[in-house]
Amino acid sequence: GPVLSCLLWIVLLQPAGWLPATFLSALLACRTGGCSMKESLLVCLLLSAALWLGMEKLLRYSLPQGTLFVLACGV
């Protein structure tokens, strides 16, 4: 489970960006770890929110947005 979730994060980081990659890999890790769907979604949301707040807002460090984000937003 943890190895697969790390591989999923690495594969998704460039095309999808850090937010979907983090959310989906954490969801996979939680589900393979035995958490319920409700617990898994809560952990994923909290992890994504903490990373966004800590890195993007407090440290002002831009995390990779991904190719799909750039194409969709025209940035």
Side-chain angles (χ1 to χ4, degrees):
V3 172
L4 287 177
S5 63
C6 288
L7 290 174
L8 178 66
W9 188 82
I10 290 169
V11 167
L12 288 178
L13 186 62
Q14 183 61 35
W18 74 271
L19 185 60
T22 302
F23 185 85
L24 292 173
S25 63
L27 185 65
L28 178 64
C30 287
R31 294 297 292 154
T32 58
C35 295
S36 70
M37 184 56 94
K38 192 178 196 180
E39 291 172 329
S40 298
L41 290 174
L42 180 63
V43 167
C44 295
L45 287 173
L46 290 175
L47 175 65
S48 299
L51 279 173
W52 176 78
L53 182 65
M55 297 297 286
E56 297 271 343
K57 295 299 174 188
L58 295 176
L59 295 177
R60 298 181 200 271
Y61 181 78
S62 228
L63 293 168
Q65 297 301 321
T67 307
L68 297 177
F69 179 81
V70 172
L71 292 175
C73 294
V75 176

